[in-house]
């Protein structure tokens, strides 16, 4: 399950309590698997974890009807599978099978290892970002500093297999182990088979922000997470390019992030403070949310925002607000439609529960969850263009900016 991020705040459980007291730090080493004195002790601990997860959902999940799930019986239905799990991966697979019934992309259980990776914002990668475009998986990007980059892998290569196994259509688990070597077979742009041994290494879990400027003065900015470090980068770049004839903001790979960053980015792109919608709990509404009070780059030039199925959560709210106020033209494909605010709750074994606790309503009381945001100009990404290394949506953005610049 892909986890999207739209957070009001983050609960760190015991970690948060210890850090508040100033008596602990987060280990730089990954957590070690729990050791139990007897098989019975393992079963008991796992069933307590099941109870903990079930109770948190039962008390805090944003939808009173649990999105149609039979939550009242879920704990009993998954009891035996949880008891039979022999390690963390098996245990959390069962817990997530139960959580999937809630039909919420912002609700998932993270193993202690995944929780540690989430905290440090690093994971093991061989360096390939892939996308499914019928009839094949393609390399969409190569991560800087990765084994794939060192081996010369290029965007547009077709992926034929990993460790001799063809990749399943549309979805597969790309997780890799730090230090483990995988055998990948590709078809390069010359239609030649290339087999490479790629070793996974720890890398940042998002691509670095990207800035490009054309000879015509158009500026392209991309960031993939709503987090303070990228907010500060974006504000700095917007101020530096205040006089640019136009800006392309690429949110196609932005899976969301924290609400505070969303509000500051919106302030950077709007001439004044504006409302953008309402977060709704199981018990009722809060007041309309607004962009940040003070500051802001106040970029006033023509603005294009690129969106697509990889745009989620905070990225969708930003796109919606800019479209609502007619501040930007949206180009690309519809967004993911996963716009639930989540909180993180520490679990007894060092894992975490990411739990959807707030729905989001637009300014006209509509929903983005399950709906998404439609572009003003639809540009579908095609296999032929991706294979040739072309970005049709970006080309359309430049065409639109040129039309605005003509007298």
């Amino acid at each position: 399950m892909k986890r999207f991020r739209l957070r009001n705040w983050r609960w760190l459980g015991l970690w948060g309590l210890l850090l508040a007291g100033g008596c602990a730090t987060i280990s730089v080493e990954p957590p070690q698997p729990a050791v139990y004195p007897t098989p019975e002790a393992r079963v008991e601990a796992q069933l307590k974890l099941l109870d903990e997860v079930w109770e948190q959902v039962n008390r805090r999940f944003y939808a009173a009807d649990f999105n149609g799930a039979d939550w009242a019986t879920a704990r009993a239905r998954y009891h035996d599978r949880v008891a039979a799990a022999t390690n963390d991966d098996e245990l959390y697979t069962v817990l997530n099978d139960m959580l999937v019934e809630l039909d919420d992309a912002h609700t998932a259980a993270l193993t202690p290892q995944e929780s540690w990776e989430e905290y440090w914002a690093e994971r093991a990668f061989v360096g390939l970002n892939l996308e499914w475009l019928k009839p094949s998986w393609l390399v969409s990007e190569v991560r800087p500093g990765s084994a794939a980059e060192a081996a010369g892998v290029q965007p547009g290569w077709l992926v034929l297999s990993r460790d001799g196994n063809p990749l399943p259509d549309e979805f597969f688990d790309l997780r890799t182990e730090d230090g483990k070597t995988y055998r990948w077979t590709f078809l390069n742009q010359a239609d030649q088979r290339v087999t490479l041994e790629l070793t996974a290494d720890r890398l940042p879990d998002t691509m670095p922000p990207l800035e490009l400027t054309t000879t015509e003065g158009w500026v392209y900015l991309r960031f993939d997470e709503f987090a303070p470090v990228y907010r500060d980068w974006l504000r700095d770049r917007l101020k530096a390019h205040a006089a640019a004839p136009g800006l392309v903001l690429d949110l196609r790979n932005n899976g969301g992030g924290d609400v505070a960053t969303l509000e500051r980015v919106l302030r950077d792109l709007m001439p004044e403070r504006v409302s953008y919608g309402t977060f709704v709990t199981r018990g009722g509404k809060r007041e309309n949310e607004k962009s940040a009070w003070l500051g802001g780059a106040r970029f006033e030039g023509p603005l294009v925002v690129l969106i697509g199925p990889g745009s989620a959560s905070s990225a969708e709210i930003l796109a919606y607000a800019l479209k609502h106020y007619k501040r930007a033209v949206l180009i690309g494909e519809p967004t993911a439609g996963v716009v639930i605010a989540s909180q993180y709750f520490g679990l007894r074994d060092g894992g975490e529960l990411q739990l959807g606790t707030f729905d989001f309503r637009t300014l006209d009381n509509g929903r983005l969850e399950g709906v998404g945001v439609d572009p003003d100009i639809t540009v579908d990404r095609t296999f032929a263009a991706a294979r040739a290394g072309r970005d049709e949506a970006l080309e359309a953005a430049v065409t639109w900016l040129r039309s605005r610049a003509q007298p």
Side-chain angles (χ1 to χ4, degrees), residues 36 38-49 79 82-85:
Y36 298 94
T38 65
E40 291 78 14
R42 170 182 283 279
V43 171
E44 180 182 4
Q46 293 179 170
L47 291 175
K48 286 182 178 178
L49 189 64
H79 177 282
V82 166

Side-chain angles (χ1 to χ4, degrees), residues 241-285:
H241 296 293
L247 174 72
V248 180
L249 182 63
D250 193 346
L251 300 179
R252 289 175 295 177
N253 293 285
N254 193 309
D258 68 79
V259 174
T261 293
L262 163 66
E263 293 175 350
R264 284 163 175 77
V265 171
L266 186 57
R267 180 68 165 169
D268 287 333
L269 298 171
M270 294 294 296
E272 58 188 5
R273 192 174 189 233
V274 296
S275 298
Y276 62 85
T278 305
F279 289 110
V280 185
T281 68
R282 196 191 295 190
K285 289 188 177 182

Side-chain angles (χ1 to χ4, degrees), residues 23 39 43 63 72 132 155 209 279 284 334 353 387:
C23 57
V43 171
W132 169 256
F279 289 110
L353 173 65
R387 185 82 167 107

